[in-house]
Amino acid sequence: MTLRPTRPSDHAAIEALLDRAFGLDRTSKAAYRLREGVQPVAELCCIAEENSVLKGTISYWPMIIDLDTGGAVDVLLLGPIAVEPAISGQGVGIQLMEETLEKARQQGHDLVILVGDLDYYGRIGFSRDGTAGLRLPGPVDQDRLLVKSLQGNEVNDLTGLIRGNRHDG
Ligand SMILES: CC(C)(COP(=O)(O)OP(=O)(O)OC[C@H]1O[C@@H](n2cnc3c(N)ncnc32)[C@H](O)[C@@H]1OP(=O)(O)O)[C@@H](O)C(=O)NCCC(=O)NCCS
């Protein structure tokens, strides 16, 4: 399995994999609303391939949490991540996350949030601690809102609304 940065020419194969992994109604989810109009963090988006065939994909997006107490925090949104169903359970998902999260850490990013199963993402250090007061622009299962500090910091309560960082001022 080879991991490499995502290229524009991967787009169609990635969309097809996401449809297979999540189903065709995937774009109705709150995470998609958050990502609308936002450019992914290109240097962190990555695919796994074998013999030039796409086997997995992971993306990251720049977000801002407008804290209720004032101020704002930059965070990365991880997702979607998907692995070809035929090779699930072979470690590709964890490999995709570990390599890209390490790159993000080296680049100085700190907080990463995602919407997913604690049982899975807890394996690489994601937790619910601090996310109870975090709101998305659409409905989301609060128990699936997870966060991890890449710089080893304690995560303070993230009480506020998350929005895409559109870099448009
Ligand atoms: C979730 C997903 C990315 C995991 O990728 P993967 O390459 O199969 O996962 P890995 O091989 O790295 O890890 C497999 C382990 O995680 C466990 N696991 C996978 N998905 C899990 C989940 N949702 N909850 C709890 N455990 C999970 C597996 O049971 C396996 O456990 P084991 O090591 O004890 O056997 C992949 O299954 C997938 O694309 N699923 C459909 C899309 C999806 O749900 N994406 C995540 C959105 S939250």
Side-chain angles (χ1 to χ4, degrees):
M1 196 66 59
T2 309
L3 269 54
R4 66 159 171 81
T6 303
R7 301 176 190 136
S9 57
D10 298 321
H11 181 74
I14 288 174
E15 291 297 301
L17 172 56
L18 293 175
D19 285 345
R20 285 197 296 283
F22 289 101
L24 293 173
D25 65 343
R26 63 188 169 90
T27 59
S28 63
K29 292 182 175 155
Y32 278 81
R33 299 289 80 70
L34 264 180
R35 299 195 290 251
E36 274 170 8
V38 181
Q39 293 300 313
V41 184
E43 63 270 27
L44 295 177
C45 296
C46 181
I47 65 145
E49 65 179 2
E50 204 168 43
N51 302 322
S52 299
V53 177
L54 182 80
K55 297 294 183 184
T57 176
I58 188 167
S59 299
Y60 292 85
W61 308 78
M63 297 281 148
I64 295 171
I65 302 171
D66 289 317
L67 299 170
D68 292 350
T69 50
V73 184
D74 287 321
V75 296
L76 286 174
L77 175 70
L78 186 167
I81 172 173
V83 171
E84 189 62 48
I87 61 154
S88 72
Q90 295 180 16
V92 176
I94 296 288
Q95 188 186 357
L96 277 167
M97 287 191 283
E98 284 183 342
E99 291 202 14
T100 51
L101 289 170
E102 173 56 17
K103 195 169 179 183
R105 187 192 67 77
Q106 288 173 8
Q107 291 177 354
H109 294 285
D110 185 14
L111 296 179
V112 182
I113 63 163
L114 60 78
V115 183
D117 293 331
L118 179 61
D119 282 351
Y120 183 58
Y121 298 99
R123 295 178 181 214
I124 54 162
F126 282 89
S127 134
R128 284 183 192 134
D129 293 351
T131 65
L134 189 58
R135 304 185 301 279
L136 270 67
V140 67
D141 180 349
Q142 206 71 29
D143 282 347
R144 291 168 53 80
L145 265 179
L146 309 179
V147 66
K148 173 183 168 76
S149 165
L150 298 178
Q151 305 296 337
N153 296 318
E154 190 179 339
V155 179
N156 296 315
D157 284 346
L158 300 168
T159 301
L161 182 65
I162 183 167
R163 63 180 164 93
N165 185 350
R166 295 185 170 80
H167 293 292
D168 60 3

